[in-house]
Amino acid sequence: MIRFEHVTKRYADGTTAVADLSFEVTEGELVTLVGPSGCGKTTTMKMVNRLIEPTGGRILLDGQDIAAADPVELRRRIGYVIQQVGLFPHKTVLENTATVPQLLGVPKAKARARAAELLELVGLDPAVYGGRYPDQLSGGQRQRVGVARALAADPPVLLMDEPFGAVDPVVRERLQNEFLALQKSVRKTILLVTHDLEEAVRLGDRIAVYGQGTIEQFAAPATVLAAPANTYVARFVGADRSLKRLAVTPVEAADLTAAHGTPPAASVPLGASLREALAVLLQEDSGRIGVTDPDSGELAGVLTTEGVHRALRRGPLQDA
Ligand code: ADP
Ligand code: MG
């Protein structure tokens, strides 16, 4: 859906923000870009909606080179959510949310009805909040309006730059949680930037770990945590508590899928740590291992990296 081919951005002052980036985000996938400040995450994102033009390589959206697209038309297909939200201060919450559809010619009443639905969807009662102005909202509520507004034009693609960065940790976790539930129903293709590995792991179907302007590893969160591609990624990941969580989170029945077809070659017992299970899983070319009942020794189900990811998502949310 979004495909980077050898993309480089060198700014006028000679700074190379990203160099020779190649990766692909598939339809309905949420990819998180994570890395330290200044590593090129925002530059990567802004090239997708042509707020920044690459100096080399090309970016394809749905198979088409975006360099040939009209930027205005392009941005209609791409929702954009930023940390500062950028709500219009003199417009109400409902008006803010309905802005883009109205610009696109949707009749006012219809745009507002849709805006009300979306506010409901992000957990803001339109009857209570629709008539408020942005400065009458908390940071977390403003962020929800930002997400509702980005969804209003129903774009297939969403770009989110540190969308939950400006709110406190408790609210952030709730927003992340709600956002995951929302994404389950809307299935947008999403690039989400964060400097927080915990957030990248929780939200991403896959993670791109940035070094200085390059992607050091692009893989499922569980793989990044359990099998860092190099010492840079190992150090980045090692500094985070996500990795430690692998050691203390047990494999549970809810993480498993039904066993059918050839029985898996290797297995671990229910209750084994995710770290143990992953160590075995990563040895298996089939990408699946058996999980056995520790009492009877019988096969209880099959664990895949998706199951490990589900378990990782469960872990921190339970802490809250
Ligand atoms: P991140 O979002 O990961 O913090 P950015 O993409 O914003 O990183 O920036 C990547 C690098 O490019 C940084 O070194 C930054 O200083 C530089 N940079 C960003 N914008 C410009 C610009 N307009 N002109 C020159 N250098 C820039
Ligand atoms: Mg940035």
Side-chain angles (χ1 to χ4, degrees):
M1 182 83 182
I2 307 172
R3 187 180 166 89
F4 276 66
E5 290 182 350
H6 304 289
V7 174
T8 294
K9 174 62 187 181
R10 198 166 299 110
Y11 286 107
D13 67 356
T15 306
T16 302
V18 298
D20 199 25
L21 280 188
S22 295
F23 67 93
E24 184 161 9
V25 186
T26 60
E27 190 170 346
E29 187 181 29
L30 197 171
V31 168
T32 48
L33 311 182
V34 67
S37 178
C39 68
K41 305 181 297 294
T42 294
T43 300
T44 302
M45 177 150 292
K46 285 185 169 174
M47 288 191 290
V48 177
N49 60 6
R50 294 189 61 187
L51 291 174
I52 294 176
E53 298 289 349
T55 40
R58 56 179 201 157
I59 301 169
L60 308 179
L61 186 67
D62 244 347
Q64 290 177 320
D65 189 341
I66 63 166
D70 169 32
V72 175
E73 199 276 322
L74 179 71
R75 284 174 208 144
R76 279 181 195 157
R77 290 189 279 156
I78 302 176
Y80 190 40
V81 184
I82 54 172
Q83 183 176 320
Q84 300 79 5
V85 190
L87 299 178
F88 302 112
H90 56 282
K91 285 189 178 189
T92 66
V93 164
L94 194 71
E95 287 163 354
N96 262 290
T97 310
T99 301
V100 177
Q102 271 191 258
L103 283 176
L104 296 180
V106 174
K108 191 167 166 179
K110 199 173 165 203
R112 289 189 170 211
R114 179 67 185 142
E117 276 172 27
L118 284 162
L119 289 172
E120 193 98 53
L121 200 64
V122 298
L124 291 175
D125 182 351
V128 177
Y129 297 100
R132 289 201 191 172
Y133 289 88
D135 68 357
Q136 297 171 311
L137 301 176
S138 71
Q141 289 165 342
R142 276 200 289 273
Q143 209 61 56
R144 287 166 205 242
V145 178
V147 171
R149 188 177 60 175
L151 289 172
D154 201 22
V157 174
L158 279 185
L159 305 177
M160 308 182 81
D161 197 344
E162 308 258 5
F164 310 124
V167 293
D168 69 69
V170 175
V171 174
R172 186 186 316 169
E173 197 158 299
R174 205 166 57 225
L175 286 174
Q176 289 170 344
N177 200 357
E178 286 169 3
F179 180 66
L180 272 179
L182 185 64
Q183 166 63 354
K184 250 190 188 152
S185 62
V186 297
R187 282 270 163 219
K188 300 295 181 189
T189 302
I190 301 175
L191 260 185
L192 185 147
V193 162
T194 177
H195 61 270
D196 176 13
L197 183 66
E198 182 93 23
E199 178 162 279
V201 164
R202 198 177 299 165
L203 298 182
D205 297 313
R206 286 190 294 171
I207 304 181
V209 181
Y210 273 64
Q212 273 311 317
T214 53
I215 293 178
E216 298 292 331
Q217 188 167 15
F218 188 82
T223 307
V224 170
L225 293 179
N230 53 41
T231 50
Y232 172 85
V233 178
R235 214 170 310 134
F236 185 73
V237 160
D240 187 88
R241 60 198 177 101
S242 303
L243 189 60
K244 289 163 198 117
R245 229 171 46 225
L246 279 175
V248 299
T249 307
V251 176
E252 293 181 3
D255 307 325
L256 309 180
T257 48
H260 43 69
T262 333
S267 67
V268 296
L270 268 176
S273 73
L274 286 179
R275 177 184 283 181
E276 266 174 85
L278 254 174
V280 179
L281 186 54
L282 291 170
Q283 303 291 317
E284 289 301 311
D285 292 336
S286 65
R288 55 205 279 281
I289 58 170
V291 176
T292 55
D293 183 319
D295 298 322
S296 67
E298 276 172 30
L299 192 65
V302 164
L303 185 70
T304 62
T305 52
E306 287 84 60
V308 174
H309 194 200
R310 273 203 298 281
L312 278 172
R313 284 177 170 170
R314 177 186 76 227
L317 302 177
Q318 251 176 7
D319 294 347

